[in-house]
Amino acid sequence: MRLIAVVLASLLGAASAMAQQPVDPARVDAAVKAAFPTAPAEFQPRLAPDETLKACSAHRNAPPQAVLAAIRARETATIEYPPDGKFLGDWKKGEALAQSGYGMRFTDYPATRANGGNCYACHQVTRRELSYGTIGPSLTDYGKLHEFRDSDAKAAYEKIYNAQAAFPCSLMPRFGSNKVLTIEQIKDLVALLMSPDSPVNQGR
Amino acid sequence: MKLRRILLAAACAMLAFAAPALAEDDTEKALEKYRQMLKDDPWTNPGLLDVDRGELLWTTPRGPNNVSLAQCDLGKGPGKVDGAFAELPRYFADADRVMDVETRLLWCMEKLQGFNRADLVKRPHPGGGAPVKELGAIATYVASKSQGLKFAAALTHPKEQEAVALGETLFMRRSGPFDFACTTCHAEPGRRIRLQGLPQLSRPEEARNVIGDWPAYRVSSTHVMTMQHRLYDCYWQMRMPELELGSDVSVALIAYLTSNARGGEISAPTIKR
């Protein structure tokens, strides 16, 4: 029995070692740089991962404890809060943002409107929108489930601003820290989730 | 007693999820039926026009050198098209590079026909409504000549293995303002983006099911989309710049995906949403 366990463990070890095929990072960087030769100057920073993404990619989004703590600390420090101290904006604007996938694609320049959050690509948000993705959890009744607590509105704001502060290596974009959405836009999304009159909380 | 409690909890959980799961199941079943109907009658696929166009382009003398692609070696000897796609990507000694079908055609068009490479990679993919470009049409023709075969690229040459490893690393590499990698969408089973199902391409069972579909005719953009174009489109969505046709990144990702899809049947060109 123990022998089987040992054999299994070594097999698993071998498999993961094989999966982690070491590719010279300089080779990867050079290949990426060469693969996007028409990238304008303002796109150049997109080609390389930052410290956090480097760690997430290397650990397949499941880093060990020490790395996790480092990411959490680093990303938490990037969060900027609304100057007026309020976390709930306009849920109607939030719904429009949740629907829009516009922004920052190379065909979106010069920009003709504000960036969207494209929440529905990955999340169920309101019940009335049936075209939603399932990469992230369903957000229906979000505010109701959180009993509309102020502390949870703040947590939702932080989660949208920088998902990795709460959940290191989350698949979700760091919308605030990466300057995809503004503070006001994030407040509108928080309102979509946390306002009692938002369709998110008007179910059945 | 304990078991009964667990069973009860499980039953409750199933009830809670049964309704949406059922609706999704029905949608998926209907979509599968639609796809099967298209498969059952391959003549409904407008991509076949591009197969014919590609064949004509392959055999017609073209370019500054006014020669056909009869001397183009896709890996099985000059001019041999039958079954060549099933063994790509592969290492080509003459170019000292691993190449997928499109990168190889790019090379042949440049070296044999005398086309300017810079011109060919400048706008290599069609916009919505426009037909696939010439190189893409030829690639579609070449792929169609491996229909029914299984992916069998050897991928044993050190450079081929390096390409697969690079592709796997790139598949997981997160960057850009949205922090995306291929794995954001394609590393877990049963996920959707909006209503579109996402194959878990790191898993051979799923890669085998879909990689052989490409090049494919896309109903939504009314043209054939090649694999290089598909990757270009993924990077567009990932907020990355324009991926160059024939770049090491594109070849490495195709090598990685094809390696995962080994043994999967080639049915290109298929028809997609």
Side-chain angles (χ1 to χ4, degrees):
Chain A
M1 193 55 193
R2 193 179 302 163
L3 181 70
I4 294 173
V6 170
V7 168
L8 260 179
S10 64
L11 272 178
L12 282 171
S16 65
M18 244 165 58
Q20 305 270 349
Q21 277 144 334
V23 181
D24 178 6
R27 161 86 178 107
V28 183
D29 290 343
V32 170
K33 193 150 181 50
F36 301 96
T38 61
E42 66 267 31
F43 270 64
Q44 291 300 324
R46 303 185 182 192
L47 300 182
D50 65 10
E51 282 307 303
T52 292
L53 293 186
K54 236 182 247 174
C56 292
S57 303
H59 295 288
R60 303 188 170 216
N61 296 322
Q65 278 303 326
V67 178
L68 227 94
I71 293 174
R72 200 175 280 131
R74 186 189 305 126
E75 298 304 325
T76 301
T78 68
I79 299 180
E80 287 175 37
Y81 290 91
D84 61 1
K86 297 198 169 78
F87 291 106
L88 267 64
D90 178 346
W91 70 256
K92 286 191 184 116
K93 287 186 189 163
E95 166 67 8
L97 280 173
Q99 291 282 1
S100 167
Y102 180 84
M104 301 184 101
R105 298 164 299 198
F106 55 72
T107 49
D108 292 337
Y109 295 87
T112 56
R113 51 204 147 107
N115 293 340
N118 212 11
C119 312
Y120 282 102
C122 298
H123 297 277
Q124 183 178 28
V125 188
T126 63
R127 282 198 181 80
R128 68 175 76 144
E129 177 55 82
L130 300 176
S131 173
Y132 61 85
T134 58
I135 294 171
S138 170
L139 303 172
T140 54
D141 291 329
Y142 191 91
K144 213 189 279 177
L145 292 168
H146 289 82
E147 295 170 334
F148 305 109
R149 280 184 294 263
D150 291 344
S151 58
D152 287 325
K154 178 170 181 266
Y157 176 90
E158 290 167 337
K159 176 82 204 283
I160 300 168
Y161 198 98
N162 190 326
Q164 302 220 26
F167 303 101
C169 297
S170 162
L171 297 181
M172 184 164 145
R174 294 167 290 178
F175 286 105
S177 302
N178 287 356
K179 307 284 175 222
V180 177
L181 300 178
T182 65
I183 288 176
E184 285 306 310
Q185 286 180 306
I186 295 174
K187 284 167 65 174
D188 293 338
L189 289 172
V190 174
L192 180 65
L193 296 178
M194 293 295 290
S195 290
D197 56 342
S198 156
V200 163
N201 300 309
Q202 304 280 322
R204 282 183 252 256
Chain B
M1 190 54 199
K2 200 173 170 191
L3 181 70
R4 197 176 302 167
R5 213 178 304 152
I6 292 170
L7 282 176
L8 192 68
C12 288
M14 275 166 73
L15 272 178
F17 290 111
L22 211 69
E24 273 161 37
D25 240 34
D26 284 353
T27 310
E28 194 42 48
K29 262 186 207 142
L31 285 171
E32 189 46 46
K33 192 177 165 202
Y34 166 69
R35 290 187 200 113
Q36 194 55 47
M37 282 165 75
L38 292 168
K39 246 184 191 171
D40 289 345
D41 184 4
W43 299 109
T44 57
N45 185 348
L48 294 181
L49 297 171
D50 293 300
V51 169
D52 289 350
R53 192 173 133 233
E55 181 173 18
L56 197 66
L57 287 163
W58 175 273
T59 51
T60 305
R62 301 172 67 233
N65 298 345
N66 200 34
V67 294
S68 76
L69 289 168
Q71 290 307 305
C72 180
D73 185 350
L74 297 171
K76 294 174 81 79
K80 294 238 167 18
V81 178
D82 283 352
F85 179 74
E87 294 173 23
L88 292 168
R90 73 195 299 159
Y91 172 74
F92 289 91
D94 54 8
D96 190 27
R97 269 191 81 191
V98 176
M99 294 169 152
D100 67 302
V101 63
E102 288 166 83
T103 307
R104 185 59 180 170
L105 289 172
L106 181 66
W107 194 87
C108 285
M109 288 170 79
E110 181 194 355
K111 303 291 178 194
L112 303 178
Q113 296 183 309
F115 284 108
N116 182 354
R117 185 182 171 282
D119 292 340
L120 294 172
V121 300
K122 197 168 178 195
R123 287 191 160 273
H125 310 302
V132 66
K133 300 278 171 104
E134 290 172 341
L135 192 155
I138 303 170
T140 309
Y141 158 65
V142 172
S144 78
K145 296 300 253 179
S146 284
Q147 238 176 46
L149 298 179
K150 291 183 168 29
F151 279 117
L155 300 174
T156 48
H157 187 282
K159 294 229 172 177
E160 292 166 353
Q161 291 183 332
E162 197 222 349
V164 173
L166 176 63
E168 184 177 24
T169 304
L170 290 164
F171 194 76
M172 295 182 294
R173 180 182 165 105
R174 298 179 66 174
S175 76
F178 279 48
D179 298 339
F180 285 162
C182 307
T183 47
T184 309
C185 287
H186 297 290
E188 289 188 63
R191 303 292 193 210
R192 287 188 339 226
I193 184 163
R194 288 279 186 165
L195 287 178
Q196 177 63 45
L198 296 162
Q200 185 187 358
L201 296 172
S202 47
R203 220 172 131 238
E205 296 88 323
E206 294 204 32
R208 280 198 288 269
N209 271 338
V210 295
I211 300 299
D213 287 353
W214 300 89
Y217 182 84
R218 271 197 142 191
V219 177
S220 54
S221 48
T222 66
H223 56 218
V224 163
M225 190 180 231
T226 64
M227 185 52 95
Q228 288 268 347
H229 188 185
R230 189 68 203 81
L231 295 176
Y232 171 95
D233 213 40
C234 281
Y235 276 116
W236 169 79
Q237 191 67 265
M238 289 158 73
R239 273 68 183 178
M240 291 288 277
E242 292 187 70
L243 177 68
E244 185 168 76
L245 176 83
S247 61
D248 281 357
V249 166
S250 61
V251 171
L253 282 168
I254 292 171
Y256 170 65
L257 295 174
T258 311
S259 162
N260 288 349
R262 193 191 313 264
E265 191 180 320
I266 294 161
S267 37
T270 59
I271 188 160
K272 298 261 182 194
R273 66 170 173 93

